[in-house]
Amino acid sequence: MNPINYLRISLIDRCNFRCLYCMPEEAEISYALQEHWLTNEEILTLLQEVFIPLGFSRFRLTGGEPLLRPGLVDLVRAIAQLPGTEDLAMTTNGFHLAAVAEDLYAAGLRRINISLDSLDAAVFDQIIGHRGRSRWQAVWQGIQAAHQVGFDPLKLNVVVIPGVNDHEVLDLAALTRDRAWHVRFIEFMPIGNDALFSDRGWIASEELRQQIRDRWGLTEGRVTGNGPADIFQIPGAKGTLGFISQMSECFCDRCNRMRLSADGWLRPCLLNETGQLDLRTALRTSTPLDELRDRVATLLNLKPEINYKLRESGTTGRYARTMSQIGG
Ligand code: SAM
Ligand code: SF4
């Protein structure tokens, strides 16, 4: 069992995109009240007094869309400076990244994952549910800005949806041939848009790997902070490819992460609400911090059992909340 040392922190449950795999256009998403969002101070208190003392050292900021969070750069700087923070990363849709990439890097963020599901502006806008002037260019500029300020490895996330962007797998993989980027293909999960999932299904990573192998060959690779991804490389490429295969190869037994939602719920698992803790209410009712630490420690001890049960039951169920709400 891996040590549980990785916390994904959702900074906001809102998003400026409505990706069709994450938030179906027609669906009503219920958002947390803004006064329920953990403040920067509350997040820092939790990290300093609860999570770091319990052995957490790796943090990823996510959402919703984390770049929409007010006071983001100050928060990044404060987390990066906490004694005990060994790794600080962010997952973003990149739309506002060009304007803040430099400030984020200066504040101490070193790793960034940007979602880029298509190289075709029309397909991209269809996926993110946007009409009007295309948003692809702004995201691409965000990626370039992140590259120029030195984020390394720069990771691009692609959720592959049959009949929507699966025809672009080779083009997206080819980005790694002359750039030291890391392109990660994520199997579509039945979380967020059940109707699309039932209609289109998902494509197993091995099928994508076979397409790439047939074209260029594929060898095993390495990348920093690979988490659950299996890493490969096109021979001679500067960059690498990752495959996150949570549908075809459940990796729940290797899971070393917990998730903190924007409104302060700690979840031991993306797909399972067992044991989740309301840390916001606990903080706001002045629960002593050592008691909070004990509650989180108890949940940490339960996690292997939760992981095991999920592995046994598989990850193909249907889930009530979207990744944007939980903090993907
Ligand atoms: N807004 C940011 C973004 O899109 O990168 C961060 C939050 S988003 C919820 C985090 C990741 O979850 C993204 O890489 C997204 O592609 C992934 N995601 C969302 N819904 C998914 C689904 N149904 N299946 C697989 N991945 C999904
Ligand atoms: Fe898309 Fe991320 Fe927003 Fe979900 S949270 S709609 S994946 S940009």
Side-chain angles (χ1 to χ4, degrees), residues 19-20 35 70 120 129 148 159-160 164 171 173 183-184 217 252 260-261 268-269 271 280 288 299:
C19 298
L20 45 84
E35 65 257 35
D120 175 326
Q148 272 153 23
V159 178
V160 182
V164 177
D171 293 340
V183 173
R184 310 188 330 153
C252 299
L260 183 62
S261 72
C269 168
L271 306 175
R280 179 191 78 244
L299 188 55

Side-chain angles (χ1 to χ4, degrees), residues 15 21-22 62-66 91-93 115 157 159 186-189 191 246 323-324 328:
C15 189
Y21 49 77
C22 179
T62 179
E65 176 44 40
T91 304
T92 169
N93 65 30
S115 293
N157 285 354
V159 178
I186 303 173
E187 288 176 353
F188 179 26
M189 295 174 71
I191 174 168
Q246 67 285 358
M323 295 277 257
S324 64

